[in-house]
Amino acid sequence: MKLEYSGQENVQANPEKVWSFIQDPNKVASCLPDLKAVEFKDERNMVATVGVAVGPVRGSFKFNIELDPHPEENKVMVRIRGGGLGSAVDLTASADILGQDDQTTLLDWQGQATVSGPAATVGGRVLDAQAKRLIETVFANMSKKMSEV
Amino acid sequence: MAVESANLEPKGIQGLGKAIKRKEDPRFIVGKGNYLDDINLPGMLHMALVHSPYAHAKILNIDTSEALKIPGVKAVITSKELAGAGLAWIPTLAGDKQMVLADGKVLYQYQEVAAVFAESRQAAADGAAAVQVEYEPLPVVVDPFKATAPDAPVLREDIKGNMTGAHGPRRHDNHIWTWDVGSKDETEKALAQSEVRIKQHMVYPRSHPAPLEPCGCIGDMNKATGRLTVYMTSQAPHAIRTVLSLVTGIPENNIRVISPDIGGGFGNKVPVYPGYVCAIVGSIVLGAPVKWVETRTENLTTTGFARDFHMDIEIGATKEGKVTAMKVYTLADHGAFDAAADPSKYPAGLFSICTGSYDFQKAYAQVEAVYTNKAPGGVAYRCSFRVTEASYLIERSMDVLAHELKMDPAELRLKNFIQPSQFPYPSALGWTYDSGDYEKTLKVALERIGYAELRKEQAEKRARGELMGIGISTFTEIVGAGPSKDFDILGIKMFDGAEIRVHPSGSAIVRAGTRHQGQGHETTWAQIVSEELGLDVDKIIVEEGDTDTAPYGLGTYASRSTPTAGGAMALGARRIREKAKKIAAHLLEVGENDVEWVDKKFVVKGVPGKSVTMNEVAFAAYTNLPPGMEPGLETTYYYDPPNLTFPHGAYICVVDIDKGTGEVKVRRFVAIDDCGTIINPMIVEGQVHGGLTEGFAMAFMQEIAFDEQGNNLSSNFTDYLLPTALETPKWETGHTVTPSPHHPIGAKGVGESPTVGSPAAFVNAVVDALAHLGVRHIDMPITREKVWKVLRQAGVDSF
């Protein structure tokens, strides 16, 4: 099952703050909803265990998350691969980081995910709604934490 | 105390045609059925399988270490361990081979990757969840039409470049076989000369039998005796025993397959599945019984599916509506392995019955099978080897032709039926139909439903803008596989056996090589024996499903039990009666030629009062024999039918369609079946009710669908629907009787007729309701959404 999303989020922080935030896996991980455990491999890679509920598919998924910042292009790429409970998720996302003014940064983002296994076959009907909610929560958390920095 | 023969008067002879209550029902009604999951053996372990989330992927690594740490988990096996036992791959019934556990790559979603053995079902499931498999996804082939594109990814790398398969040449690495029948040149010539020609593409979508009880087994290897006992939800326990012996190397006498009560099969429980092999290997390795019971999702996603035929038909006819020729091309999506359970000679099953009930002088059919990234299978779901697809194709096409000719579909059928005088009828595609009276059966159905009045009502409603349709299906089945000259599976001829033992006190035990799953054999076999031997039906017990005790047979599927084992039962009983006649003559103190079988007694010719019952003869068989005769009264009979049987029927469906919502309401459905001699009318009616309900489900509700990544979108009962009493229409049933001339009691089999015959009636009715809007065909399942879209496209926007 292929999912594609895009959107724009205004974060109440200047671009420097945003850059420093998203290059810190520790901080990025703290924005993941229902985070159970995280293991940092290096400054770009981490393994996060996250609680997931897609319809009747409920439990922990383990994700390899790679952050790939391209400051020269004002862009950050994120690759997430993993899964659990017999399901697999393969996600690629990118965000353009565009300063609006001293206090505001626009994240112009898009992402494509491929979901296989029960999360798609059994949870397919609610997957789209759940994925949107997950994305909204991640951005809400980021926005909140960045503005606190 | 000695048994008194005078007390042995049989009371309840209930032979053919009696609607007696089913002998097997009491134990089910009081919850005393004994299904596979009711069986628990001392020290038994449980098995759970690890499944692939991907439809096509390389396996880079399998890490079982975390699974083995879970309390209660005893072992995990993968393809590597199976390879050590020579069981990484097993042969399929169709001449292909299939992986037991994924060997290097997975070829369909939910494919079995590893098996976990544990002390409890829960621990096994936890263990399966803890097995870490690293995959590298590969491009997926979902659409069978794209499978043989030049740039299509090669699915079966194990046979890459091998351009000869079990059924002839392969033209692409994802091509399995091409099979054809009939004369192509003559058919094309006849089509070219036809005044009217119609062409239609139609899809019989992939569906699944979805028995309420999923598949399962217990492997129990006794290391002390070397004997393997396998309890299994199997419709064909003897064939399974032979296959197990061939693939494991265990001598067949050291294998006992016990098939306990089965909660529905519909063909789903014929093949050998990877789970069975793993449970047996687990028992051999671990020295303990191992139970495996599928989950609902495992059943729907990995075991034998049905249909998935993509068909193109062309029919020629005269302007007056007399058919001249038909040509068919079909693309068959067989999934990742060719594991269809067809007779060896017939890779497309009995699809060449697609000329149906009509007198086609020329016909040609070609079927091509391809590999895709879907689960293997292809024959199951209450279908005699592709007869369902064939019947749907011709019955739907006859309506398309009627529409083209602007002729009433009943009239078109009546004009083209094979006539009673033409039987035995050799069809253009090579079958010899045994008997039939199609016109009579259709006329009974037309009268019963009030066809002429319905057509008037339809015209009136149409004038008012209301949507009402009438659909007819006058199908011919082909069942009873089969005659040994043509039919075998893995070389084993498809006859079936019956054993009858009559006890001294006039009771009997009867065993057959078949295995019922709700068909009522415990009653119908007893009725055949009661009819032939004059014994009390309540004193005849029927046993099936234990290979140690039952005679060999190929099992119950494809409506074959009555045509094969039913014949064995009747002829075995008659063999017993021959011996009984000699004993009767001895008791009556006359010569054997002076004794005749009248009214289920042995009577002295010309002296009606002088007679003995079979009970008295049975007693004498153990107590008072003619000098020199072998004691006892029993036999085993193997019946090799001389031909298949060809049941038929006329089904008429009336639908009303809601223009606003697209909802189709089946207002009436009349089903007149002709299955030859009827053994138990109540059981036949029950079979017809069940089959019609399944046909209704296929027509309106069921499809195993996939997305582009090969995700199975029908993996549970919220997405793959079973009709309940709420949706199911009221069925009006009836019958005509045209006995099979070659079957010992004239019976033909009925289990599959309603699933075979009804889908076309439903679809024809819906299309008939919409025909004036320019609609010519709609593929199943005809969901509300589909009809709504068709209506909107046709410009219907008023409610």
Side-chain angles (χ1 to χ4, degrees):
Chain A
M1 190 164 282
K2 267 193 176 156
L3 301 169
E4 287 191 22
Y5 301 102
S6 60
Q8 294 187 327
E9 303 287 333
N10 270 310
V11 178
Q12 295 309 309
N14 62 36
E16 289 72 32
K17 276 189 184 174
V18 172
W19 269 112
S20 106
F21 189 96
I22 60 172
Q23 292 188 65
D24 182 347
N26 238 315
K27 287 181 178 158
V28 172
S30 71
C31 298
L32 296 173
D34 206 3
L35 182 70
K36 308 245 185 230
V38 63
E39 185 187 341
F40 298 101
K41 299 285 187 189
D42 56 40
E43 58 188 19
R44 286 186 173 193
N45 290 282
M46 59 184 147
V47 180
T49 305
V50 176
V52 170
V54 186
V57 180
R58 282 158 196 269
S60 291
F61 277 30
K62 199 182 243 186
F63 294 112
N64 292 299
I65 303 175
E66 185 196 353
L67 300 172
D68 183 12
H70 296 262
E72 68 285 1
E73 296 175 50
N74 291 328
K75 190 191 257 312
V76 63
M77 309 281 290
V78 182
R79 273 185 287 277
I80 299 179
R81 196 154 166 205
L85 305 170
S87 299
V89 177
D90 207 331
L91 179 146
T92 310
S94 67
D96 290 316
I97 294 162
L98 307 166
Q100 303 294 296
D101 53 46
D102 285 351
Q103 294 305 315
T104 317
T105 304
L106 179 71
L107 299 182
D108 187 359
W109 64 272
Q110 57 178 354
Q112 301 89 38
T114 307
V115 183
S116 307
T121 61
V122 183
R125 287 167 189 276
V126 293
L127 186 59
D128 183 52
Q130 289 290 83
K132 278 182 183 156
R133 208 169 74 182
L134 187 75
I135 292 165
E136 282 166 13
T137 311
V138 170
F139 279 114
N141 288 347
M142 279 173 80
S143 200
K144 187 162 174 259
K145 285 174 193 283
M146 284 179 188
S147 59
E148 285 167 358
V149 176
Chain B
M1 189 178 77
V3 179
E4 295 292 333
S5 67
N7 293 334
L8 296 175
E9 185 72 21
K11 297 282 190 282
I13 301 170
Q14 301 277 342
L16 306 183
K18 302 284 195 316
I20 63 169
K21 286 185 181 169
R22 300 197 333 158
K23 288 158 68 74
E24 48 267 75
D25 281 348
R27 74 173 185 274
F28 295 126
I29 290 166
V30 301
K32 295 289 182 190
N34 188 35
Y35 297 93
L36 179 98
D37 209 10
D38 293 324
I39 300 167
N40 290 299
L41 303 177
M44 189 173 77
L45 301 174
H46 297 263
M47 185 183 88
L49 294 167
V50 177
H51 297 277
S52 166
Y54 294 104
H56 194 198
K58 259 187 204 167
I59 294 180
L60 303 177
N61 185 43
I62 302 175
D63 180 357
T64 62
S65 57
E66 291 300 314
L68 289 166
K69 287 179 195 163
I70 288 175
V73 171
K74 294 284 186 192
V76 183
I77 60 167
T78 65
S79 186
K80 208 187 291 176
E81 285 71 37
L82 290 175
L87 288 170
W89 293 68
I90 53 171
T92 71
L93 297 179
D96 197 358
K97 56 178 180 166
Q98 72 176 93
M99 297 171 190
V100 174
L101 294 172
D103 184 9
K105 71 188 290 195
V106 289
L107 284 160
Y108 57 95
Q109 192 190 47
Y110 286 103
Q111 186 176 342
E112 301 83 355
V113 177
V116 178
F117 305 93
E119 286 169 352
S120 68
R121 193 170 286 182
Q122 293 80 357
D126 287 347
V131 173
Q132 299 293 318
V133 186
E134 200 181 332
Y135 299 96
E136 180 186 316
L138 296 168
V140 174
V141 176
V142 174
D143 181 347
F145 289 94
K146 293 180 181 163
T148 51
D151 60 345
V154 176
L155 306 189
R156 291 289 302 279
E157 285 166 78
D158 58 295
I159 49 170
K160 187 178 176 180
N162 180 357
M163 290 294 119
T164 306
H167 302 285
R170 301 166 67 218
R171 61 177 173 79
H172 185 284
D173 280 314
N174 295 335
H175 173 251
I176 311 174
W177 45 256
T178 299
W179 183 81
D180 68 349
V181 63
S183 169
K184 190 180 180 191
D185 293 344
E186 288 178 24
T187 301
E188 282 177 348
K189 197 172 153 196
L191 282 170
Q193 291 168 353
S194 297
E195 293 169 337
V196 179
R197 287 159 80 172
I198 58 118
K199 284 184 181 182
Q200 184 64 50
H201 175 75
M202 61 185 84
V203 181
Y204 208 129
R206 180 175 279 234
S207 60
H208 195 280
L212 285 187
E213 178 205 31
C215 301
C217 80
I218 303 170
D220 183 17
M221 171 54 98
N222 184 328
K223 288 206 167 177
T225 62
R227 195 135 209 262
L228 172 67
T229 303
V230 182
Y231 302 83
M232 186 188 284
T233 52
S234 175
Q235 296 174 232
H238 291 276
I240 292 285
R241 185 185 70 187
T242 303
V243 170
L244 287 178
S245 177
L246 292 173
V247 298
T248 63
I250 299 170
E252 199 165 348
N253 65 318
N254 260 346
I255 301 176
R256 179 184 188 185
V257 178
I258 298 172
S259 182
D261 285 328
I262 300 180
F266 314 110
N268 185 235
K269 292 170 179 168
V270 175
V272 175
Y273 295 123
Y276 298 159
V277 178
C278 290
I280 291 164
V281 169
S283 178
I284 293 170
V285 172
L286 298 167
V290 172
K291 181 192 268 190
W292 171 63
V293 178
E294 278 184 330
T295 64
R296 175 61 54 200
T297 292
E298 285 177 314
N299 182 254
L300 281 169
T301 57
T302 65
T303 62
F305 71 93
R307 329 289 188 239
D308 222 338
F309 259 33
H310 304 252
M311 307 177 281
D312 282 286
I313 188 168
E314 186 173 0
I315 290 181
T318 64
K319 279 184 207 157
E320 291 73 35
K322 184 77 187 149
V323 296
T324 51
M326 76 180 290
K327 186 178 147 190
V328 175
Y329 170 77
T330 293
L331 186 65
D333 183 342
H334 277 225
F337 306 102
D338 189 13
D342 283 312
S344 303
K345 269 194 192 177
Y346 301 99
L350 309 183
F351 182 68
S352 48
I353 192 70
C354 59
T355 51
S357 309
Y358 313 104
D359 191 13
F360 279 94
Q361 290 301 304
K362 303 290 176 200
Y364 174 72
Q366 184 186 59
V367 183
E368 281 199 290
V370 294
Y371 292 121
T372 61
N373 289 119
K374 297 175 192 167
V379 167
Y381 208 174
R382 214 163 177 161
C383 168
S384 180
F385 310 119
R386 303 291 189 188
V387 65
T388 315
E389 292 92 320
S391 174
Y392 175 73
L393 176 70
I394 182 61
E395 289 306 317
R396 182 74 271 282
S397 303
M398 288 302 275
D399 263 38
V400 174
L401 178 62
H403 185 67
E404 181 73 21
L405 293 163
K406 297 187 172 53
M407 189 182 276
D408 184 280
E411 189 193 336
L412 179 69
R413 286 170 166 82
L414 287 165
K415 192 166 265 192
N416 287 292
F417 280 146
I418 299 158
Q419 294 301 306
S421 59
Q422 291 176 274
F423 291 96
Y425 172 81
S427 82
L429 293 181
W431 301 111
T432 302
Y433 292 27
D434 60 349
S435 64
D437 192 340
Y438 305 138
E439 186 174 320
K440 182 166 101 185
T441 311
L442 176 57
K443 285 188 168 167
V444 170
L446 292 171
E447 191 171 325
R448 175 88 171 267
I449 206 155
Y451 188 70
E453 291 76 26
L454 284 170
R455 283 290 176 204
K456 269 187 220 157
E457 183 193 341
Q458 184 188 31
E460 287 163 15
K461 286 196 162 158
R462 200 167 273 183
R464 293 200 298 269
E466 294 173 35
L467 300 175
M468 167 190 166
I470 305 160
I472 299 175
S473 170
T474 47
F475 64 93
T476 288
E477 266 236 88
I478 176 167
V479 305
S484 64
K485 63 183 188 314
D486 286 324
F487 288 86
D488 70 271
I489 287 182
L490 292 176
I492 302 162
K493 303 297 185 184
M494 294 185 73
F495 54 79
D496 227 290
E499 182 197 77
I500 303 167
R501 292 184 182 184
V502 183
H503 306 315
S505 57
S507 63
I509 186 160
V510 168
R511 297 185 175 106
T514 45
R515 188 23 166 160
H516 65 94
Q517 318 116 47
Q519 292 90 340
H521 292 179
E522 292 178 35
T523 310
T524 47
W525 293 169
Q527 284 184 265
I528 293 174
V529 173
S530 179
E531 172 79 25
E532 296 289 341
L533 292 182
L535 295 174
D536 184 338
V537 78
D538 287 337
K539 291 186 178 169
I540 301 168
I541 190 168
V542 174
E543 273 186 10
E544 293 182 334
D546 184 342
T547 58
D548 265 11
T549 55
Y552 203 91
L554 267 283
T556 294
Y557 44 86
S559 273
R560 68 182 298 279
S561 296
T562 297
T564 58
M569 207 59 72
L571 293 178
R574 286 175 200 172
R575 186 187 273 166
I576 285 177
R577 210 165 68 201
E578 286 304 305
K579 180 177 181 181
K581 191 178 177 189
K582 293 181 179 16
I583 300 171
H586 167 70
L587 294 177
L588 292 163
E589 297 178 325
V590 294
E592 191 186 336
N593 291 338
D594 293 324
V595 176
E596 58 185 351
W597 178 251
V598 179
D599 293 336
K600 301 184 174 61
K601 281 181 183 177
F602 290 107
V603 179
V604 177
K605 284 180 189 168
V607 192
K610 201 170 178 194
S611 65
V612 289
T613 65
M614 186 62 80
N615 283 21
E616 289 166 314
V617 169
F619 187 67
Y622 296 87
T623 59
N624 176 19
L625 284 158
M629 184 182 275
E630 180 187 358
L633 200 58
E634 59 186 64
T635 195
T636 303
Y637 197 102
Y638 289 98
Y639 177 61
D640 182 7
N643 190 8
L644 297 153
T645 60
F646 296 75
H648 65 276
Y651 292 175
I652 307 181
C653 173
V654 184
V655 301
D656 297 301
I657 298 179
D658 185 313
K659 285 193 290 184
T661 62
E663 183 189 10
V664 178
K665 191 169 170 50
V666 176
R667 191 204 310 174
R668 287 188 70 194
F669 196 101
V670 165
I672 307 299
D673 274 285
D674 192 325
C675 59
T677 304
I678 292 172
I679 300 164
N680 183 319
M682 185 195 70
I683 288 179
V684 168
E685 193 184 356
Q687 290 270 52
V688 172
H689 276 230
L692 291 175
T693 305
E694 291 185 322
F696 171 80
M698 288 173 211
F700 293 109
M701 304 161 94
Q702 297 182 335
E703 179 178 13
I704 298 287
F706 296 84
D707 70 9
E708 283 178 2
Q709 282 74 48
N711 281 306
N712 185 320
L713 303 178
S714 318
S715 66
N716 57 82
F717 281 164
T718 56
D719 296 306
Y720 189 77
L721 305 179
L722 300 193
T724 68
L726 207 62
E727 296 86 18
T728 304
K730 183 177 183 294
W731 310 118
E732 301 170 57
T733 61
H735 59 262
T736 56
V737 176
T738 313
S740 169
H742 64 78
H743 188 271
I745 59 169
K748 290 186 171 183
V750 76
E752 292 169 353
S753 289
T755 25
V756 168
S758 66
F762 294 116
V763 179
N764 285 346
V766 173
V767 175
D768 184 60
L770 305 171
H772 62 293
L773 301 171
V775 177
R776 182 158 133 154
H777 176 72
I778 304 175
D779 276 324
M780 298 184 285
I782 299 183
T783 58
R784 219 175 274 200
E785 182 190 9
K786 224 184 246 183
V787 177
W788 188 89
K789 280 184 181 163
V790 166
L791 286 168
R792 301 291 90 90
Q793 279 161 11
V796 177
D797 51 11
S798 66
F799 285 45

